[in-house]
Amino acid sequence: MSDNSSSPRSLPWFARSSARTWRCAPAPAEVRDFHRSLPDYSPTPLTELPSLAAELGVGRVFVKDESSRLGLPAFKALGASWAVHRTLAERAANGREPAPVTLVTATDGNHGRAVARMARRLGQYAHVFVPQGVHPGAVAAIVAEQAKVTEVVGSYDEAVRLAAEAAEGPDTVLVQDTGWPGYERIPGWIVEGYSTLCAEIDEQLVAAGAVEGADVVAVPVGVGSLAQAVVTHYRSRTAGRAPALLSVEPEGAACVLESLSLGEPVSVTTGETTMAGLNCGTPSSTAWPYLYGGLDAAVAITDADSAGAAADLVALGVSSGPCGAAALAGLRAALTGVGGEERRTAMELGPSSVVVLLSTEGTAANPHSATDH
């Protein structure tokens, strides 16, 4: 289909009504204390954009701006810092020699750079596997953190497989932000690290006068680890408002939407997308039960949708790359076009609703968007 604007098409969409009653245990409180102890920690902005509220027909729209987080242009440093901290603390507690270890990971860009930054800061080594499709500028940023980089001829899933193999050697630890059977503790720590972002949103909404919190939270999804953190935060509450949670993926890598539709986790074959950080074909096994239990809706968007949303956010003063802008693009797609009113009803969105969009990266995190058109 050559022109989405002139020819109607069915929006890739999934919704169900039971998610807001699903419950789970909360993230540990000490995560926030750990992040507060870091010298470059400060809450990222929660920016209100009234023009978007008017466009979307809701009461208020806020964007959580993760374009500068712990000195990096994406939210990933929250998870990497906590997971590396826990990993090294556990090694020390087990009586391991304090010799440097190599932290191994695969990445579409931001997670690998965050792991490399933590390794450099703590006197460790890093080895990062990068799949095809990641912009050379993003690879150069990882190299600049003094990491060893192996570029993989293949997909993200293939890069993860090779990273796991490389981490089987002595004095190596896999610090991967996706889990599978037998590898779930460290991905769990990474998800816990992301809880700080959600705790900040709570405080910032109260400060902005939205004391009852959000009605809808839209989150970009790759393997689903951030979405797991969001579900954990909002579905571990026993009182107060339970917001609708919307996941957003690229159409060419909609593994979570496909899995939700089938009722079981499946892998999809990924193509190329400018939303490089979301170009993942398999949901994390640690995230899946949370996504299946706690997500109200899932939508998949085009690169054009994402690019338009990114340009609009930048024009409104929020630095947002294609992955970060996916949240806005996904909500826009859901609320417009054929079936838009039904999708609005499914999320219980009304003229006074409060919406939070997670913009997970700034423009600097994805050079592709700034240099290639």
Side-chain angles (χ1 to χ4, degrees), residues 248-291:
V248 185
E249 298 170 281
E251 284 193 353
C255 63
V256 169
L257 192 156
E258 182 70 11
S259 297
L260 290 172
S261 300
L262 294 172
E264 61 181 6
V266 295
S267 296
V268 300
T269 301
T270 59
E272 288 194 12
T273 172
T274 52
M275 292 172 272
L278 308 181
N279 195 14
C280 306
T282 305
S284 168
S285 70
T286 45
W288 170 248
Y290 294 81
L291 307 181

Side-chain angles (χ1 to χ4, degrees), residues 23-35:
R23 291 293 176 266
C24 61
E30 60 263 30
V31 177
R32 184 83 187 280
D33 295 334
F34 165 75
H35 284 135

Side-chain angles (χ1 to χ4, degrees), residues 6-302:
S6 62
S7 49
R9 63 188 188 90
S10 176
L11 183 71
W13 168 260
F14 171 87
R16 57 145 170 260
S17 58
S18 60
R20 262 161 277 188
T21 60
W22 189 81
R23 291 293 176 266
C24 61
E30 60 263 30
V31 177
R32 184 83 187 280
D33 295 334
F34 165 75
H35 284 135
R36 282 189 174 123
S37 75
L38 299 178
D40 46 1
Y41 170 75
S42 62
T44 55
L46 186 72
T47 304
E48 184 167 10
L49 298 175
S51 62
L52 290 184
E55 175 202 329
L56 297 171
V58 297
R60 303 177 78 177
V61 171
F62 295 88
V63 177
K64 184 62 167 165
D65 178 358
E66 291 291 312
S67 60
S68 180
R69 172 64 81 174
L70 296 172
L72 293 173
F75 78 102
K76 294 283 191 176
L78 287 173
S81 60
W82 175 245
V84 171
H85 165 75
R86 287 295 308 267
T87 298
L88 296 179
E90 186 172 88
R91 286 177 69 87
N94 289 340
R96 301 284 185 93
E97 290 294 319
V101 299
T102 299
L103 306 175
V104 184
T105 195
T107 188
D108 279 324
N110 295 324
H111 170 70
R113 186 177 177 188
V115 170
R117 170 70 61 90
M118 289 304 299
R120 180 165 65 89
R121 177 178 286 183
L122 297 173
Q124 313 297 317
Y125 302 114
H127 185 184
V128 181
F129 288 75
V130 179
Q132 279 182 311
V134 175
H135 192 274
V139 177
I142 299 170
V143 172
E145 302 291 349
Q146 299 174 13
K148 175 184 177 182
V149 173
T150 297
E151 297 193 55
V152 175
V153 181
S155 68
Y156 172 81
D157 287 4
E158 175 67 4
V160 169
R161 186 185 69 79
L162 293 173
E165 284 184 1
E168 291 172 0
D171 296 321
T172 60
V173 180
L174 184 68
V175 184
Q176 196 58 57
D177 55 347
T178 185
W180 53 86
Y183 181 74
E184 291 167 332
R185 253 185 354 139
I186 288 176
W189 289 338
I190 289 171
V191 170
E192 289 176 358
Y194 299 153
S195 65
T196 290
L197 182 159
C198 300
E200 291 174 3
I201 290 172
D202 286 349
E203 296 164 1
Q204 291 167 322
L205 285 176
V206 170
V211 293
E212 292 186 10
D215 294 287
V216 172
V217 179
V219 53
V221 169
V223 298
S225 294
L226 176 60
Q228 180 187 348
V230 170
V231 168
T232 299
H233 182 76
Y234 290 105
R235 301 297 183 239
S236 60
R237 296 173 168 180
T238 55
R241 179 181 293 169
L245 304 179
L246 170 69
S247 70
V248 185
E249 298 170 281
E251 284 193 353
C255 63
V256 169
L257 192 156
E258 182 70 11
S259 297
L260 290 172
S261 300
L262 294 172
E264 61 181 6
V266 295
S267 296
V268 300
T269 301
T270 59
E272 288 194 12
T273 172
T274 52
M275 292 172 272
L278 308 181
N279 195 14
C280 306
T282 305
S284 168
S285 70
T286 45
W288 170 248
Y290 294 81
L291 307 181
Y292 185 64
L295 283 176
D296 294 82
V299 66
I301 58 168
T302 66

